[in-house]
Each structure stands twice: as C-alpha cells, then as structure tokens.
Amino acid sequence: MQTVDAGRGSTVGSARANVAAAAVGIADRQFISFAIGNDQYGVDIMSVREIKGWSEITHLPKQPDYMRGVLNLRGAMVPIIDLRCRFGQGMTEATPLHVVIVVQIGPRHVGLLADRVLDIVGCNASQVQPVPRIAQGSRADFLSGLVMIESGMIALIDLSRLLSASIGDGVDSGASTA
C-alpha cells in the first residue's frame, strides 16, 4: 500500500512538474533585436538563419524602392528588403557597418537590412502587448506586438505580413496576401 501511494504521489508530482515546464516552454519567446535609426525592432529567433555584414548586392529592375536587390548567399539568391525604406523612413545609406539579417519564412530566405543588431531578448508571451491599430497601410500592419524592456520598447515584426506585402505574388505564388 505504501508503495502505491509513493508511486502515485511521485506520478502526480512529475505530472505537475511536466505541466509547469510545458507552460514555461510555451510562454518563453526569444527575439533578435536590432535598430533602424533610433527605433528597436525584433524578429523571432527561430526564423533567423544568419546575420552578416553588408556587402554589395545586385539590383533588379522595376522593383519597389524597399527591395534593394538580391544577394548571392552560397549559391542562393536572397532578396534584400530595406526595412527603413519599407517603414517609410527613406532609403538606408548602407555602409559596411550595416547588417543583413537573413530570415526564413517557409522555404524562402530573405535578407532584412538593418543598422545594427542589438541583443537577444527573451520574454514571456504575456509581456507582448498588442499594437494599436490607428490607420490601415501604416507600418503597424507589419507588427505583431510590442515588448517593453529596460532600454525602451521593441516592436516585433510579423515576417509573414512583411514578406507577403513585400515580395508578393510575382516571386512566391504560394504567399497569401493580407
């Protein structure tokens, strides 16, 4: 009888520990934070494939201003999006100090041009606040939430919305449009 109670007690204790661990795993999120001017943005760390310094790219004709061109990354052509331009803040004067954050959405790799990488930020899902939606077509359409940190606020980029609006049907016929 004592063995059954001990076994039952440890099973209940283990189940509680597993549930608590699962809840922590679900709630914890990590982002790569980066700067565009004085603003801080973040993308889910699981989408980031690599971060590299700025290098020359090949410009493509008849592309929107924010589509800077393509980068040959080990034989794969990666489109580069100028986030400053995409968010309506003008073209980035790219220098060797700028970075390209290569992210993966589905099977596609896309480079995001940013001023600099800041940090890896972890937060609980409950810390992510909704983005106030005031006007359609603003840069808020690309954001999935806001997170407060010690040094300010990080605007989290919804890559699927950014990319479907950016490279759209001509490049990826499987992309959905918002």
Side-chain angles (χ1 to χ4, degrees):
M1 192 101 158
Q2 214 170 13
T3 308
V4 172
D5 289 340
R8 189 174 176 195
S10 66
T11 302
V12 170
S14 295
R16 285 185 185 146
N18 290 340
V19 168
V24 169
I26 291 169
D28 289 339
R29 298 177 68 184
Q30 287 189 319
F31 305 94
I32 297 286
S33 67
F34 55 92
I36 299 173
N38 293 327
D39 298 329
Q40 292 185 48
Y41 294 91
V43 292
D44 188 307
I45 197 167
M46 297 306 292
S47 298
V48 176
R49 293 299 165 245
E50 73 181 87
I51 298 169
K52 61 185 276 52
W54 176 253
S55 60
E56 287 303 311
I57 59 173
T58 302
H59 298 279
L60 299 175
K62 297 188 178 187
Q63 297 295 311
D65 288 342
Y66 57 82
M67 186 67 86
R68 295 292 294 260
V70 294
L71 174 68
N72 183 348
L73 188 62
R74 293 180 294 283
M77 293 300 128
V78 177
I80 306 297
I81 296 174
D82 183 340
L83 290 177
R84 178 187 312 270
C85 184
R86 185 67 176 131
F87 295 157
Q89 301 173 1
M91 293 282 287
T92 300
E93 296 291 331
T95 69
L97 299 177
H98 285 83
V99 295
V100 174
I101 302 167
V102 179
V103 296
Q104 182 171 354
I105 301 298
R108 178 186 338 157
H109 287 89
V110 175
L112 307 175
L113 176 60
D115 293 351
R116 64 193 175 282
V117 172
L118 300 172
D119 204 355
I120 296 174
V121 177
C123 71
N124 189 290
S126 65
Q127 293 175 284
V128 178
Q129 300 296 314
V131 178
R133 303 283 180 191
I134 296 177
Q136 290 291 351
S138 69
R139 72 179 177 176
D141 290 343
F142 306 125
L143 303 179
S144 62
L146 303 169
V147 176
M148 293 299 298
I149 58 171
E150 288 178 20
S151 61
M153 187 180 330
I154 297 176
L156 304 176
I157 297 176
D158 183 333
L159 291 172
S160 62
R161 287 186 184 169
L162 176 71
L163 299 181
S164 66
S166 295
I167 37 189
D169 300 333
V171 174
D172 181 17
S173 58
S176 64
T177 55

